[in-house]
Amino acid sequence: MRLQLDGEAKRVERLLGREGVPSGERAAALGGLGRLYHAYDYLEAAEGCYARAAELAPGDFRWPYYLGFLRQVRGEPASAAERFERALELEPGNVPALIRLGRARLDLGSFEEAGARFERALALDPGSAAAHEGLGRVAAESGRLAAAAEHYERALALQPSASTLRHPLARLYRALGDEARAGRELAAAGTTPVSFADPLVAALDEAAVGAGLRLARGGAALAEGREEIAIEEYRRAVAADPGNFTARMNLGLVLARSGEPGPAVDHLEAAAALEPGSVRALLALGEALTAAGRSEEGLVRIRAAAAIEPGSGRARLRLGEALQLAGDPEGALAELRAAAALELSDGERAEVELGLGNLMAARREDARAAAHYRRALELAPVMVGARHNLAGVLSRLGLHEESAAEYRRLLEDDPDAATARAFLAEELLRAGRPAEAAAEFSRAVAAAPASERARAGEAAALVALGRHAAARDRLERGLEELPGSAALAHALARLLAACPDRAVRDGERAVALARAAFEDGRGPERAETVAMALAEAGRFEEAARWQRALVEAAESAGEVGAAARLRRDLALYERGEACCATTP
């Protein structure tokens, strides 16, 4: 990289020192050098070259455009807009310049001017997803929510991979009152931005050679949360220099993080082969192998890393985690305790506490597990796994208010975490706060319409509030939207069979639903619901046969309390009476 820059700078210097060189040729040489500096992120040097080129060739569109692009990326929208305006004076129909100018005007709050540029770009290129995205932003900022959603939808239709568009779409649909649509958009949202063809910016890539630039750009993209772009840059780095350890490591790590452990293993194995003594490479490879379902091979690599550096707290930590996954809790406990005695960063020490908490939770030593999780959170307050697990063990300890508080903290960091919201609702219901639980379940259903747990929980909360007809209606709607859900069929069958409000009961429908649920997943609870439904339908002999089988099974298993309860209901069926009220 340095040789390329120095060589080109000397060539341009020699050209500028010659007499009689036309200004256009001088401008082209300076602009070309500016592009090279720009490609390698030497922005001040690039800016100087572009500015001089623009002075020497004031009619050349490229140099004000590059200056505008450079300043826009640097976060200077006013200066960028000025340069793009100049570029458009020279080429009024340049679509990339119109889009970039529109974005600069948006950043400046000039929505009307931004909209005019995006409309012009769309008139020139009706297939421009970027122009529709810009018009969507303009409409949203101007309070025209339906129009904004329409533009984002058109942009997605033109460029389905642009998953970042789904974030603003979700917000718009929520503001428009369509919670179900908002939930679907949020579930499909991702990190791929809208793209558009820009030949001048593409030429910056062509100016650079080697792996160094690709590594730098991959790192920048990763810092911005744009994993797909980072992966592509690291792939290019590997292609440019297959023996580059950093390129192999970075690509392997990002692939592993993005849920592609198989391809990650290939690159991490190459990295480990390039530097056989690298503890970092061995640990990363071990984790990727484990994630790819090759846990025994992964454990071998992690053991090797710990053997190379027995005083490495990180290696001991990873070995403890691997042993825990391998079903060796005592070995895991020994390694995690050894790691705790070594020098660790706060983040690593928090991971040790999390691992120890998980081991205690697996032993059902919930109070000790909670103490470890709390220590992990003191060290790393946004450690989602520790907070989630802490909430779980607090629930098992019967501390439902405290558990709910932890789930609320999770939602403060991620308000759209439907799973955490459903768990919060369940804890509120257990804590005797059904009205709050019903509201949280409703939000969870809106965020994740396919969640059977949230839908069934919402019905249970409504039953606890005495709103039995509303509970039935919610379950009916759930089955319409999720017709294959045995869990919802079972919940509705139980409500129709044993609801305190006799107007809600429907024995024959309860029987059909209960039998379907039982066939899907046989178990005592579902068998009990079949008996309830048969009794409500007046088929008491059949109900009694099912119930006797349940009583015998409970007695054989030594479940004294359950057997006594089941016998009480059996007595009802034998007398020709339907079951007592129960919740779904």
Side-chain angles (χ1 to χ4, degrees):
M1 177 182 76
R2 190 71 255 176
L3 288 174
Q4 185 187 12
L5 286 170
D6 290 345
E8 183 63 13
K10 288 175 182 176
R11 188 190 71 77
V12 172
E13 188 178 350
R14 288 195 299 271
L15 183 144
L16 295 177
R18 293 205 307 266
E19 295 290 336
V21 178
S23 60
E25 188 176 341
R26 289 170 179 263
L30 279 164
L33 179 60
R35 289 196 312 180
L36 195 59
Y37 281 131
H38 197 164
Y40 286 112
D41 271 347
Y42 289 95
L43 299 187
E44 289 187 12
E47 186 173 15
C49 288
Y50 291 151
R52 290 174 65 192
E55 290 172 1
L56 289 166
D60 194 323
F61 165 86
R62 293 174 295 173
W63 314 131
Y65 185 86
Y66 276 130
L67 275 170
F69 174 66
L70 186 152
R71 290 175 181 176
Q72 190 167 44
V73 171
R74 204 162 56 188
E76 302 172 14
S79 177
E82 182 183 344
R83 294 299 176 172
F84 287 133
E85 293 281 13
R86 172 58 185 156
L88 284 164
E89 288 174 10
L90 299 170
E91 283 193 22
N94 187 281
V95 172
L98 285 164
I99 289 171
R100 292 196 185 280
L101 177 56
R103 289 178 174 180
R105 291 296 181 200
L106 264 176
D107 290 340
L108 291 167
S110 303
F111 306 132
E112 188 175 340
E113 293 178 49
R117 302 311 188 278
F118 291 129
E119 290 283 7
R120 174 66 176 152
L122 197 59
L124 293 165
D125 180 8
S128 173
H132 275 298
E133 178 199 32
L135 288 168
R137 287 182 61 192
V138 169
E141 293 288 354
S142 306
R144 294 178 289 115
L145 304 187
E150 184 178 350
H151 279 297
Y152 281 124
E153 290 285 11
R154 289 183 183 177
L156 268 171
L158 290 164
Q159 203 171 111
S161 62
S163 53
T164 56
L165 290 171
R166 297 188 184 276
H167 288 285
L169 254 180
R171 290 194 294 271
L172 286 166
Y173 281 125
R174 182 162 290 139
L176 289 166
D178 192 341
E179 290 286 354
R181 187 62 180 274
R184 289 195 293 273
E185 293 299 336
L186 196 62
T191 58
T192 304
V194 174
S195 62
F196 59 94
D198 191 337
L200 288 183
V201 172
L204 294 174
D205 285 347
E206 296 166 6
V209 297
L213 173 69
R214 299 299 178 189
L215 287 170
R217 288 186 176 172
L222 201 57
E224 295 169 3
R226 300 159 70 192
E227 285 191 357
E228 292 181 20
I229 293 173
I231 287 170
E232 183 57 30
E233 292 295 343
Y234 289 144
R235 285 193 196 283
R236 292 180 181 180
V238 168
D241 184 2
N244 187 303
F245 171 81
T246 303
R248 291 284 192 180
M249 274 294 297
N250 288 4
L251 179 55
L253 289 168
V254 180
L255 287 170
R257 196 168 89 177
S258 62
E260 299 182 49
V265 165
D266 296 337
H267 291 289
L268 293 170
E269 281 183 332
L274 288 165
E275 293 193 12
S278 169
V279 170
R280 179 169 170 254
L282 285 168
L283 289 176
L285 175 56
E287 290 172 19
L289 285 164
T290 301
R294 298 159 62 183
S295 55
E296 290 186 11
E297 294 175 70
L299 184 56
V300 168
R301 301 309 196 287
I302 294 170
R303 281 194 191 279
I308 290 170
E309 285 189 20
S312 165
R314 182 172 181 77
R316 292 279 189 178
L317 166 61
R318 296 294 173 241
L319 181 54
E321 292 172 341
L323 288 167
Q324 188 174 355
L325 285 172
D328 182 2
E330 293 307 316
L333 186 60
E335 290 298 334
L336 289 173
R337 284 175 173 165
L342 297 169
E343 186 174 344
L344 296 169
S345 67
D346 281 352
E348 290 168 340
R349 195 165 295 284
E351 289 185 63
V352 169
E353 293 292 346
L354 172 61
L356 290 168
N358 291 342
L359 285 169
M360 295 302 108
R363 293 177 169 188
R364 294 281 170 161
E365 297 180 32
D366 291 331
R368 294 179 68 186
H372 283 296
Y373 292 141
R374 290 191 193 282
R375 283 197 286 273
L377 289 165
E378 288 171 6
L379 294 160
V382 294
M383 196 175 209
V384 172
R387 196 167 297 286
H388 206 290
N389 293 356
L390 173 59
V393 296
L394 289 172
S395 178
R396 286 207 311 233
L397 288 166
L399 302 172
H400 301 299
E401 292 283 1
E402 291 184 38
S403 177
E406 296 301 331
Y407 285 125
R408 285 197 190 282
R409 291 189 182 99
L410 281 171
L411 288 164
E412 287 172 8
D413 293 330
D414 183 5
D416 297 313
T419 303
R421 194 169 295 283
F423 285 139
L424 166 61
E426 288 174 358
E427 292 307 301
L428 290 169
L429 190 56
R430 292 181 184 120
R433 295 157 65 182
E436 293 174 66
E440 293 297 345
F441 275 127
S442 178
R443 294 185 186 104
V445 169
S451 172
E452 297 170 304
R453 184 172 191 157
R455 287 181 181 274
E458 183 182 22
L462 290 169
V463 166
L465 288 167
R467 297 173 57 192
H468 304 103
R472 177 199 59 202
D473 293 345
R474 293 291 198 287
L475 290 170
E476 293 279 15
R477 187 185 310 161
L479 275 175
E480 287 174 8
E481 296 181 18
L482 304 172
S485 172
L488 294 182
H490 175 245
L492 180 56
R494 207 168 179 91
L495 181 63
L496 295 176
C499 181
D501 183 351
R502 292 195 172 276
V504 172
R505 294 194 189 191
D506 183 341
E508 291 300 335
R509 177 148 167 72
V511 169
L513 290 166
R515 285 190 183 279
F518 180 75
E519 289 302 320
D520 181 83
R522 294 167 181 263
E525 185 181 10
R526 293 192 180 183
E528 184 181 7
T529 303
V530 173
M532 287 180 182
L534 288 166
E536 178 59 26
R539 295 155 65 177
F540 296 109
E541 288 186 12
E542 292 178 74
R545 283 200 301 272
W546 280 77
Q547 197 74 2
R548 286 190 196 100
L550 287 165
V551 170
E552 290 172 7
E555 289 176 340
S556 298
E559 297 171 355
V560 178
R565 178 179 59 78
L566 291 166
R567 276 196 299 272
R568 283 195 297 271
D569 287 346
L570 174 59
L572 289 173
Y573 305 154
E574 289 174 336
R575 291 198 303 268
E577 296 178 23
C579 181
C580 54
T582 187
T583 58

